[in-house]
Amino acid sequence: MGSGKSTVSKHMDREWNSDQKLMARFSFSRDTAETMSIERFCPIVANAFASRDRNFKEIMKEFQSQENYNLLSFEDQFKGLVVDPLKALNRPAILIIDALDECDNAHGHRDELLNIISIQLSSIPHLRVFVTGRPERDINQWATTTTGVRCTNFLRLEGNHDDVERYIKERLSDLPSSLQAKVSRVVENAEGVFIWARIACDLLCKTVDKQALLNSLGKEVTLDYLYTIALEQSIPKDEYSRRAAVMVLGMILSVRSPLSIAELVQLSTNPDAVEAVVTSLGSILLYKHREGPIRLIHATLREFLTSATNAGPWFVQLGLGHYNLAAGCIDILTGVEREELGQGSNNMDDTFRQQELSSKQKEQLLIVYLVSLNTHGSRGGITVEIQIASWV
């Protein structure tokens, strides 16, 4: 959990890339519904292999020439797009699967993926599969019972958590000497988890009462506790600010593909709150600039915010996030329609009044928003595209 599994997979990706090996990489993520699913696994993996070998590409294209091949089962697609081309080439290949634990298993997707890999591994002797992920029970069971699979962890590989310790001590080197003695307890309780260390250090650098927070971090605390502290420290204490923060977080969590501050401003009924909330939550939200996509610092933040028990007053109802996004889309679509209807009119106000959308039309637009999963509109030269996750 935040211990650097993706960092390891990226490092191995770079290492093996430098050797020009036949390689493909797929990363799961709880950030979006699409990246939690195995729906795009086969074509993405196949295209990655095909980009490195022309013969692989030709075999893949032959399979894709079938009518409605994309409607075939996952097993058939994996065999046709990945297994058969690799068997025909008979050359060494590497498949990296990153963050397997973030593959949705609510509908058995992860089980299906692991089962297919287990079945097909023996038929592709030259393929090596490198998997990273948290040790969920089903993943552990698969790794320990499947022939040809070896399982290890960071502690066995490194023997200690020196890198996390160095990171914490460097980040907190400016603390007063009277507080330095307590840093060792922070290192100990980080337990090698980078995300925990990063958030804790961010909070300590921002807080006014460093001693009180150090005392808390010197105890055994969870990531959920750090998320709560981050929210409480970053958002003003009044109820209106908390509600605005929950609204913005709901919109961020509800989109299928990450949006930017600029896009959320266009969609929000409270645009002034968007930038204020996102910039205040820099310790748990990641973005490079106003037009860059906003991402969660870690998948566990989504789990925390969508759990009423864990999040408490910061609980995010995804249904309300969808509602706010839908309202923003309807507003944009209405505005686009008005601009088109108003062109050439000498009295645009009258045109707008005459062409006001009825409640039924707005309801129909909302249905389109939910069913199509893709809503397009533009305002002020900015095109907004929203892909919505499952309705909760």
Side-chain angles (χ1 to χ4, degrees), residues 120-154:
Q120 297 293 345
L121 269 179
S122 59
S123 67
I124 326 171
H126 294 296
L127 176 66
R128 295 293 178 267
V129 182
F130 181 79
V131 180
T132 68
R134 285 185 283 177
E136 304 287 4
R137 180 177 298 178
D138 60 306
I139 297 175
N140 257 342
Q141 184 177 4
W142 173 77
T144 54
T145 59
T146 303
T147 304
V149 175
R150 187 171 68 91
C151 180
T152 189
N153 57 46
F154 289 136

Side-chain angles (χ1 to χ4, degrees), residues 14 75 135 207 241 250 261 310 326-327 337:
R14 288 193 297 269
E75 182 176 6
T207 187
S241 295
I261 292 176
N310 296 339
E337 180 71 14

Side-chain angles (χ1 to χ4, degrees), residues 11-12 50 58 67 71 86-87 122 141 154 178 184 188 194 246 281 287 297 345 351 354 371:
H11 172 75
M12 299 312 300
E58 290 177 0
E67 187 177 359
L71 299 180
L86 286 176
K87 288 170 69 174
S122 59
Q141 184 177 4
F154 289 136
S178 59
S184 60
E188 183 179 339
F194 280 109
V246 170
L281 294 176
Y287 64 97
I297 191 170
S345 171
T351 303
Q354 293 168 5
V371 173

